[in-house]
Amino acid sequence: MAPASFHHTSNTVCVMDASGRLGSTLVERLLQRGYTVHAAVQHHDELQFNGLASDNKKLKIFHSDPYDYQSIIDALKGCSGLFYTFEPPKDQPSYDEFMAEVEVRAAHNVLEACAQTETLEKVVFTSSVTAVVWRDDRKSTASDLDERHWSDINFCRKYKLWHAVSKTLAEKTAWALAMDRGVNMVSINAGLIMGPDLSITNPYLKGAAEMYEDGVLVTVDLNSLVEAHICVYEDISSYGRYLSFNHVINRHEDAVKLAQMLASSTPMLPQSGEQDMKIIQQRISNKKLNKLMVNFEGRSDENSS
């Protein structure tokens, strides 16, 4: 049994969008933890759950379009929790200056639907570290960047950091609505998610050399990120934003390793001999999440591979 501080009245949660790597892994872990899961997918992405769904009576698949309000309401029916992660629409996969509008509209619809769902007790909203680190004064701030900091929209637009623009505006929209409508929401601001499908085209990586030099280029492995989501959902003391990352790329060899993994022919990082030994000071903190995770008993060693 989970301790009292990890209690929700119903055991049914919704994962939207469940078709991405984060969403689909969340679905599997939540099922393992005994939840009934409403997996909300766009288009015909339910094929990946076919095997799971036939074996597991606790998994229900919903077709849910973030621009179709009613379809969100249907997926949320009877749920006490929502894990919301934006997946770019298939017909508009790349982050450009128009993506923010799409992502903001989706966030708005989802939070509005949450406000209308009486059973809903908590929303875990996946955001990004890119909504935290991009600001004019980033070189001069005395303290480390953490959950109190926001990227500056005008700065991001000026340098065409569209991923940051999108994530910042969507998360701000969600927070404004959550506060206005009394929705209990927490956000997870994830570092660069590591995995086999990571490539140089990932929009998070725009400005990677600057992030590296600033000591804020951070990565997170999928399992840690999934555990973080479940922890902030289950712990009733969680509040506000949580930065989730488990590796800071602040040594030349780490940077080289990442560049090789991305198999990019483009030099992502400044190359010079004396750089090789230098360790860049970390300027970003995930202490708030780490503190919460200490008490989280769901961390299963067999899933840490």
Side-chain angles (χ1 to χ4, degrees):
M1 272 298 285
S5 63
F6 295 84
H7 180 66
H8 286 273
T9 51
S10 138
N11 222 11
T12 303
V13 293
C14 177
V15 176
M16 178 187 299
D17 185 299
S19 60
R21 270 179 67 236
L22 173 58
S24 55
T25 310
L26 257 171
V27 169
E28 286 172 30
R29 285 290 288 121
L30 288 162
L31 289 169
Q32 284 168 11
R33 276 180 86 72
Y35 286 94
T36 295
V37 180
H38 290 191
V41 295
Q42 297 179 54
H43 320 298
H44 300 291
D45 294 326
E46 79 278 8
L47 295 173
Q48 71 192 86
F49 293 116
N50 273 358
L52 257 180
S54 54
D55 299 341
N56 203 319
K57 300 289 172 277
K58 289 192 163 186
L59 176 62
K60 299 180 172 67
I61 314 287
F62 288 80
H63 283 274
S64 172
D65 179 337
Y67 319 109
D68 173 3
Y69 180 72
Q70 190 54 47
S71 74
I72 305 170
I73 289 277
D74 294 343
L76 288 177
K77 196 171 164 32
C79 291
S80 62
L82 166 67
F83 295 86
Y84 174 69
T85 304
F86 176 77
E87 285 292 327
K90 292 273 195 295
D91 56 354
Q92 192 185 354
S94 62
Y95 271 80
D96 53 21
E97 67 260 51
F98 306 112
M99 185 61 95
E101 206 179 304
V102 175
E103 194 160 347
V104 164
R105 207 167 95 221
H108 188 280
N109 285 345
V110 167
L111 265 292
E112 189 58 56
C114 290
Q116 299 295 341
T117 303
E118 283 181 11
T119 52
L120 203 80
E121 295 172 21
K122 198 175 208 175
V123 180
V124 180
F125 185 96
T126 311
S127 184
S128 174
V129 164
T130 61
V132 174
V133 298
W134 289 114
R135 17 188 313 130
D136 252 331
D137 65 354
R138 61 190 208 283
K139 296 266 195 280
S140 57
T141 46
S143 64
D144 286 351
L145 293 178
D146 62 18
E147 61 285 344
R148 292 166 297 192
H149 295 92
W150 285 90
S151 291
D152 177 317
I153 288 296
N154 294 326
F155 179 90
C156 296
R157 285 209 167 106
K158 182 177 165 189
Y159 293 103
K160 298 185 166 46
L161 298 159
W162 302 125
H163 188 269
V165 169
S166 245
K167 295 297 173 194
T168 307
L169 287 176
E171 193 194 336
K172 283 194 162 176
T173 298
W175 277 118
L177 250 162
M179 285 167 179
D180 183 48
R181 305 300 300 274
V183 175
N184 178 14
M185 182 176 111
V186 285
S187 75
I188 295 265
N189 294 70
L192 177 67
I193 304 175
M194 300 308 275
D197 56 353
L198 186 62
S199 80
I200 194 69
T201 60
N202 188 306
Y204 186 110
L205 286 162
K206 180 92 188 268
E210 287 77 11
M211 281 192 268
Y212 172 70
E213 284 160 13
D214 292 348
V216 298
L217 182 56
V218 290
T219 64
V220 64
D221 70 68
L222 191 58
N223 282 326
S224 301
L225 186 57
V226 166
E227 299 291 352
H229 277 74
I230 296 173
C231 173
V232 299
Y233 174 68
E234 292 187 358
D235 192 325
I236 56 170
S237 72
S238 66
Y239 68 97
R241 305 166 87 205
Y242 290 87
L243 270 60
S244 177
F245 58 87
N246 51 7
H247 184 54
V248 183
I249 294 179
N250 60 352
R251 297 179 312 164
H252 183 74
E253 61 196 85
D254 293 343
V256 168
K257 211 183 280 178
L258 177 65
Q260 284 167 346
M261 205 179 110
L262 297 166
S264 62
S265 48
T266 52
M268 189 177 81
L269 301 154
Q271 297 295 317
S272 69
E274 76 278 7
Q275 288 269 339
D276 289 7
M277 300 316 291
K278 192 169 105 187
I279 293 181
I280 289 165
Q281 190 190 342
Q282 177 178 342
R283 295 294 309 279
I284 186 167
S285 165
N286 56 356
K287 279 197 187 94
K288 186 183 171 195
L289 178 64
N290 290 348
K291 243 168 144 165
L292 199 71
M293 295 289 287
V294 166
N295 304 318
F296 180 54
E297 57 158 33
R299 309 184 75 163
S300 49
D301 296 330
E302 74 270 20
N303 281 301
S304 58
S305 55

